[in-house]
Amino acid sequence: MVLGDFGAVTYYAAALGTPVLLAAAAQDRLDPEAPLAAFVRDAPRLDPYGPLREQVEKLTAGHRPLAGPAEFTTSAPGASAALLRRHFYTLMDLPEPERPALLEPLPLPPYDPPSRTSPLHVRTRVHGTDITIERSTEHPYGAGGTTHLAVHEDTLDPGSLELADVITRDGPPDDPRLGGPEAWTAEVLRRHPRSALAAYVTGPHTCTVRARAHGVFRLLAGPGTDLDPAAYASSLHAWLAAGGCVPEGGGVLRIHAAGGVHRVVVGPRLPGDFAAQP
């Protein structure tokens, strides 16, 4: 169903037979002879003071499409391809093809909901290859451990990127807009010289990180791990800052978070890779 006003979107929805409920109906702003005015007079109204769910259920249960919008929108439903092609070929004074006139439907746009992120204050405690991590939107005053700031690149507060120790983003590794995880992480550290590490999350259990003084590594969670991969990146940053060094063949970190222990494999530094220079 559509909850709308007296505009075109609501009218076209009614023309398609979709149940509509008018939340705003400024009858005095419409030409009384216009088909839209007739639609607004007849369409069901939303009671802003009544229970919404009951109104929606009643509308959908007893819905009968209004005839007016469909009749006014088109007198030949489903025939636009044939009619338009005939008209165009007549204008060009050319014979119309014998094959049927078909329309290729437009694909739905990709589902890409915006992310709503806040800078995270990350508190860590490092004991060998065990890292305890806690993240919050408020600075953990008086708490033990070392704190750094992790910020998503699409943060609502771009100014926080200049203060971030770790910058993250997520997406497919072959996104042509970003040039891949290695290119993106290098560019981020060039643009934000204060940041020590950039992390590109490529899946629910993986991410690629570039540490300014250490190079690029792949992080992969072990079986059963449901921790946010951005937390892997913050853990690696804390471990490196505490003097950790990834062995030539890679290593394993044990991340303590949310009451569990998460085993994360740190892949070896990529051959021929380089650390971003300050």
Side-chain angles (χ1 to χ4, degrees), residues 56-271:
V56 170
E57 291 177 345
K58 181 180 178 181
L59 173 69
T60 53
H63 174 62
R64 297 292 182 274
L66 299 173
E71 292 175 355
F72 179 75
T73 302
T74 176
S75 58
S80 61
L83 292 173
L84 288 171
R85 189 179 73 173
R86 184 180 311 150
H87 178 66
F88 295 149
Y89 274 85
T90 299
L91 289 175
M92 295 185 293
D93 195 23
L94 293 173
E96 190 176 355
E98 294 183 1
R99 61 181 179 275
L102 303 175
L103 289 176
E104 182 177 347
L106 291 173
L108 288 173
Y111 178 66
D112 188 19
S115 58
R116 300 286 184 252
T117 66
S118 296
L120 293 176
H121 297 277
V122 185
R123 185 170 70 250
T124 57
R125 292 184 294 277
V126 178
H127 301 283
T129 56
D130 285 72
I131 302 98
T132 301
I133 180 171
E134 297 176 33
R135 301 184 298 172
S136 65
T137 56
E138 299 296 331
H139 194 286
Y141 290 108
T146 302
T147 302
H148 67 264
L149 186 66
V151 181
H152 194 283
E153 189 183 33
D154 293 335
T155 177
L156 297 178
D157 179 13
S160 62
L161 291 169
E162 301 307 317
L163 305 175
D165 301 286
V166 174
I167 298 178
T168 66
R169 81 160 299 113
D170 46 83
D174 57 350
D175 189 332
R177 299 170 300 174
L178 304 172
E182 290 82 4
W184 178 83
T185 54
E187 174 61 22
V188 163
L189 293 186
R190 278 194 290 267
R191 284 191 284 112
H192 302 285
R194 186 191 181 284
S195 299
L197 184 142
Y200 190 122
V201 176
T202 52
H205 307 295
T206 60
C207 66
T208 297
V209 301
R210 182 185 296 272
R212 187 176 296 278
H214 301 272
V216 177
F217 304 94
R218 301 277 193 266
L219 304 185
L220 173 65
T225 297
D226 58 358
L227 189 63
D228 175 11
Y232 313 163
S234 278
S235 299
L236 178 65
H237 166 68
W239 183 67
L240 293 173
C245 183
V246 179
E248 194 171 315
V252 176
L253 298 179
R254 287 165 46 88
I255 301 175
H256 299 251
V261 180
H262 309 270
R263 184 176 181 273
V264 175
V265 175
V266 182
R269 178 171 163 170
L270 297 181

